[in-house]
Amino acid sequence: GQANGTRQEVKRLDKEYDRLQKVYDDYIINHSSITQEVLDAHQEKVSDWYIDAETAGQYGMYDVLI
């Protein structure tokens, strides 16, 4: 993401990013075996987290892999 504007606008945007991240995290936690701790560890890194099919299966992220 990117933020620019007044201090108040940036603070408001940061609050919205936090809200959206909570929505995403809750969805992932409720639909897989990934815990908040695992998500937090990956979110602290600068890079994106790419999950291959094997890892996705270990986390219960799909029912059947074709």
Side-chain angles (χ1 to χ4, degrees):
Q2 178 179 339
N4 57 31
T6 67
R7 181 173 179 267
Q8 289 301 331
E9 290 168 339
V10 172
K11 285 173 67 175
R12 211 174 8 256
L13 184 57
D14 188 48
K15 186 175 179 179
E16 178 61 8
Y17 280 145
D18 289 343
R19 185 191 72 79
L20 287 174
Q21 190 63 60
K22 173 104 173 84
V23 170
Y24 302 148
D25 288 357
D26 288 348
Y27 183 87
I28 292 168
I29 290 167
N30 289 322
H31 292 87
S32 72
S33 64
I34 297 176
T35 64
Q36 186 66 58
E37 291 77 20
V38 171
L39 287 176
D40 289 344
H42 285 281
Q43 290 167 359
E44 291 297 320
K45 297 177 183 177
V46 176
S47 62
D48 291 331
W49 182 22
Y50 295 98
I51 301 172
D52 60 31
E54 182 179 338
T55 304
Q58 293 170 354
Y59 283 122
M61 298 178 80
Y62 59 82
D63 294 322
V64 177
L65 183 62
I66 299 173

